[in-house]
Amino acid sequence: MKKVEPYLIFDGQCEEAVALYKQVLGAEVLFSMRFKDSPEPSPPGMLPPGFENKIMHLHMKIGANSVMATDGGGCSGERKGFHGFSLTVSLDDTAEAERVFAGLSADGTVNMPLTETFFARAFGTLTDKFGVGWMIMVEKPMAS
């Protein structure tokens, strides 16, 4: 296996979510394609009206990591299969962790406030306003 990369599936809010990730996490969009720009058009009736302007595929870098995203997950109106995951952001500095946590949790839900734990100088979990789960952490040095 070469690598595993997360693929975020939004239902029409991909651009807005990526704008937040750019602002808060410094995400860099490497590639983006709208449904209307696909070399193979969607079959008739597959996309809701207006969805041709939504993101078909997006590839971004967050730090050294690749993350992909789409608006296409909810096109059929039915969600099937696995629905849960979180993305973990590991940082070196507590102040930076507080900034990232505050930015991602704005208009979202704090599941566990950012606090010191036995394994981290700071750790907290949240669900952003798009429904994506995040774990923010500043690890403690390992005891030898």
Side-chain angles (χ1 to χ4, degrees), residues 15-139:
E15 261 185 300
E16 188 180 347
V18 171
L20 176 68
Y21 305 154
K22 287 167 77 174
Q23 175 188 352
V24 176
L25 300 170
E28 175 189 358
V29 175
L30 303 176
F31 176 82
S32 182
M33 178 183 283
R34 296 183 186 283
F35 283 98
K36 68 180 180 183
D37 298 324
S38 172
E40 294 181 14
S42 298
M46 183 176 164
L47 298 177
F51 227 74
E52 61 276 356
N53 291 315
K54 297 295 183 181
I55 301 297
M56 182 177 127
H57 177 71
L58 182 136
H59 181 202
M60 64 183 148
K61 292 289 252 186
I62 300 176
N65 305 290
S66 286
V67 178
M68 292 174 277
T70 184
D71 275 317
C75 290
S76 69
E78 297 178 24
R79 292 191 62 187
K80 297 177 182 173
F82 183 70
H83 297 284
F85 69 93
S86 291
L87 298 176
T88 301
V89 179
S90 297
L91 301 158
D92 295 323
D93 176 276
T94 301
E96 179 69 356
E98 290 169 352
R99 184 191 71 76
V100 168
F101 193 88
L104 290 175
S105 64
D107 297 323
T109 303
V110 173
N111 303 313
M112 177 183 169
L114 196 62
T115 188
E116 186 170 356
T117 68
F118 72 94
F119 59 87
R121 292 189 318 227
F123 178 79
T125 66
L126 64 101
T127 304
D128 70 20
K129 65 183 179 180
F130 306 104
V132 176
W134 294 88
M135 295 185 284
I136 310 301
M137 85 176 344
V138 178
E139 293 182 73

